[in-house]
Amino acid sequence: MSKEKKIYKPKSVSGFPEWLPEVRRVEQQWFDHIRRVFESYGFCSIETPSIEELDVLRAKGEVDKEIYVLERLHKEEDDDSDARLALHFDQTVPLARYVAQHFNDLIFPFKRYQMQRVWRGERPQAGRFREFYQCDIDVINVDALPLHFDAEMPAIIWEVLNDLPGMEGENIQLRVSNRKILIGMCECLGITNIVEVTRIIDKLEKIGEQDAYADLLELGLNDEQLALIIEISSIKSSPSEISGLLRDFIARNDVIARSGSDEAIQTFNGGVAELETVMDQLKHLPEDAVIADLSIVRGLDYYTGTVYETVFTDDPGYGSICSGGRYDDLAGSYINKALPGVGISIGFSRLFDRLRQKGAFDVTRKSAADILMVLPNEEQRAAAAETARTLRERGYNVELYHAAQKIKKQMSYAERKGIPYVWFPPFEAGQDHEVKCMETGGQTKADPQNWEPRKEERDAAVA
RNA sequence: GCGGCUGUAGCUCAGUGGUAGAGCACUCGGUUGUGGUCCGAGUUGUCGUGGGUUCGAUCCCCAUCAGCCGCCCCA
């Protein structure tokens, strides 16, 4: 080593977030909360490897996804044995593989949740990462999956999001639609470039009706097609009113009955019926919490019916923080059985980072400790450690200060780490224990066997 | 992948063609067993990287990399 030591400037890679302990603590609380709600509906947990074979990830046509592939640094020039490995970009495709592979050992309907990191090689931006967490729930069944689950998904998500720490001041809205409606409509109208149409409709809110109109015109749609597509896509409604709006639309536009194939009409009518049923089962949720929004179609091509998106009502441009839908045949590439499913995914990192940047989190506590045990001097070390053990057995998190330094220094340490209580064991034999509440500054005598934080102090310390 | 902006201490940022500063943070101190405030002292930089112009560049030019924002796409 030379005298001038080389220092790499430490920095994290953009798009790969990491948090300080006080933020990580909130993140852990979020995971705990989400897990609790998911499990309360009977979902089990699984975890799949970060890596899948590239062919598995590509089996469902997601080729344009930016996928990170895995490669050894030491590999030989012509060695491509690792080239088939890649980091998964979502949890739905691995789930399909998992279900197909363990088909005989699973009980259907298979209800699982999964909270893992996923990777996408996109350009990082606000709310967009290259490594991030998703929290998914999915239900997969054999042959047919009851529509009831399509309604259960948003209900669960609403419960999760509503109670997350820091979400108190946020207005979010789950938007539900059914792809069969727009697709059936396009087919009825004889529109062939359906993918392009759905892509434009998906951006309807963002680009506005004017631009959507122009873009559709450019695709070669005629006036009648245009008008109908825009009209139906513009339908937004509460759960209780959607049925009436759809019926009214159908009654006024008999074009659907007149043109198109029977199959197209069936698709359209099926979508309408499904959406009505799903929305009907969501009427118990608060006003505006969940709406039907026919402009939601979603880009992912494997969705076949119900689709979901979730936005901040006051900032829909931030992007969806929770999306999903129904897929009839995701596992079909891996097994010769019909395994329809419906699922939804919380964009954990996107949601979390927004609230973090808004300062919505309590970031005062930089450790899990409830109590800092003062070490008065080396002679009292054993007694202090014993007191700490007693309190730990009673369920408190206790950190014993590491050195018999000035009390001022030990206090300052507790203050900076946001530890709510400082415990003073006897400085000399025969004296009393004392506890100080850092929030109020109050200090009282205490017995480690039966001390409890006073309620108001506990609230203050927790808040 | 395409377009725009930015790159100076751990952080937020000043600054000048003649080899750099502030605030915050951090460390220590303001004596005996008590934090937050205040006061004092101190530590910290290949001025993103490589090349060019120049007697001389952190400042000008070119390239490159990285970051931010928008597009595409999406959680």
Side-chain angles (χ1 to χ4, degrees), chain A residues 351-369:
Chain A
L351 183 59
F352 185 82
D353 193 45
R354 179 185 166 96
L355 296 196
R356 182 188 66 84
Q357 294 207 19
K358 280 183 76 176
F361 297 148
D362 169 21
V363 287
T364 52
R365 294 189 62 169
K366 294 175 173 26
S367 89

Side-chain angles (χ1 to χ4, degrees), chain A residues 21 27 48 67 87 99 129 145 156 188 196 199 216 224 232 235 253 292 324 355 371 397 412 418 424 435 437:
Chain A
E27 190 177 52
T48 63
I67 296 175
L87 292 165
V99 170
F129 305 96
L145 179 70
I156 295 171
C188 283
E196 287 84 352
R199 194 158 291 161
L216 288 173
E224 185 189 39
I232 195 158
I235 293 178
N253 299 285
L355 296 196
I371 300 167
N397 299 336
S412 170
F424 298 92
V435 187
C437 170

Side-chain angles (χ1 to χ4, degrees), chain A residues 183-451:
Chain A
I183 289 170
M185 176 94 166
C186 286
E187 287 171 350
C188 283
L189 295 170
I191 297 169
T192 48
N193 39 3
I194 295 180
V195 175
E196 287 84 352
V197 171
T198 57
R199 194 158 291 161
I200 292 165
I201 295 305
D202 207 29
K203 291 192 291 183
L204 184 59
E205 181 176 68
K206 190 173 182 180
I207 63 180
E209 213 169 284
Q210 297 276 324
D211 287 0
Y213 216 91
D215 289 352
L216 288 173
L217 200 62
E218 212 169 299
L219 279 182
L221 270 61
N222 63 40
D223 285 349
E224 185 189 39
Q225 292 170 332
L226 264 169
L228 283 169
I229 294 289
I230 296 275
E231 186 187 343
I232 195 158
S233 302
S234 301
I235 293 178
K236 288 182 173 48
S237 162
S238 67
S240 53
E241 283 160 5
I242 183 64
S243 187
L245 285 171
L246 286 170
R247 294 293 147 198
D248 178 59
F249 175 86
I250 292 165
R252 277 187 294 107
N253 299 285
D254 60 334
V255 58
I256 292 156
R258 274 192 282 117
S259 61
S261 65
D262 286 352
E263 196 184 330
I265 293 167
Q266 216 167 11
T267 302
F268 178 83
N269 286 334
V272 169
E274 285 178 17
L275 185 60
E276 284 178 330
T277 305
V278 169
M279 295 313 289
D280 187 59
Q281 292 182 27
L282 292 168
K283 283 177 178 165
H284 64 286
L285 292 171
E287 183 92 354
D288 290 338
V290 181
I291 64 162
D293 181 340
L294 285 259
S295 70
I296 305 294
V297 277
R298 314 220 355 92
L300 290 176
D301 48 7
Y302 54 67
Y303 293 121
T304 51
T306 307
V307 284
Y308 316 102
E309 253 179 42
T310 312
V311 293
F312 289 101
T313 316
D314 54 357
D315 186 12
Y318 185 70
S320 178
I321 49 165
C322 184
S323 310
R326 173 180 275 253
Y327 38 90
D328 282 339
D329 185 32
L330 200 54
S333 310
Y334 317 112
I335 193 170
N336 192 22
K337 291 200 186 301
L339 297 174
V342 62
I344 192 161
S345 172
I346 300 174
F348 184 100
S349 301
R350 174 174 285 180
L351 183 59
F352 185 82
D353 193 45
R354 179 185 166 96
L355 296 196
R356 182 188 66 84
Q357 294 207 19
K358 280 183 76 176
F361 297 148
D362 169 21
V363 287
T364 52
R365 294 189 62 169
K366 294 175 173 26
S367 89
D370 304 310
I371 300 167
L372 180 75
M373 182 64 57
V374 165
L375 180 61
N377 48 57
E378 280 304 327
E379 292 71 43
Q380 302 301 323
R381 183 182 281 274
E386 175 60 29
T387 306
R389 269 196 295 279
T390 301
L391 287 162
R392 274 186 214 114
E393 278 163 19
R394 295 186 53 222
Y396 297 103
N397 299 336
V398 186
E399 176 176 355
L400 173 62
Y401 195 77
H402 51 275
Q405 293 173 325
K406 290 181 176 179
I407 301 306
K408 184 189 181 80
K409 206 162 177 185
Q410 301 194 37
M411 296 287 297
S412 170
Y413 181 79
E415 159 70 22
R416 291 196 303 156
K417 284 185 82 168
I419 301 173
Y421 290 96
V422 173
W423 192 286
F424 298 92
F427 280 53
E428 289 164 40
Q431 289 181 328
D432 289 316
H433 291 266
E434 289 184 13
V435 187
K436 175 164 186 155
C437 170
M438 296 299 278
E439 179 74 19
T440 63
Q443 185 166 330
T444 54
K445 290 181 183 177
D447 180 347
Q449 297 290 352
N450 56 29
W451 172 82

Side-chain angles (χ1 to χ4, degrees), chain A residues 46-59:
Chain A
I46 67 164
E47 187 166 83
T48 63
S50 306
I51 301 296
E52 294 283 346
E53 287 182 20
L54 198 49
D55 289 343
V56 168
L57 297 182
R58 285 207 286 222

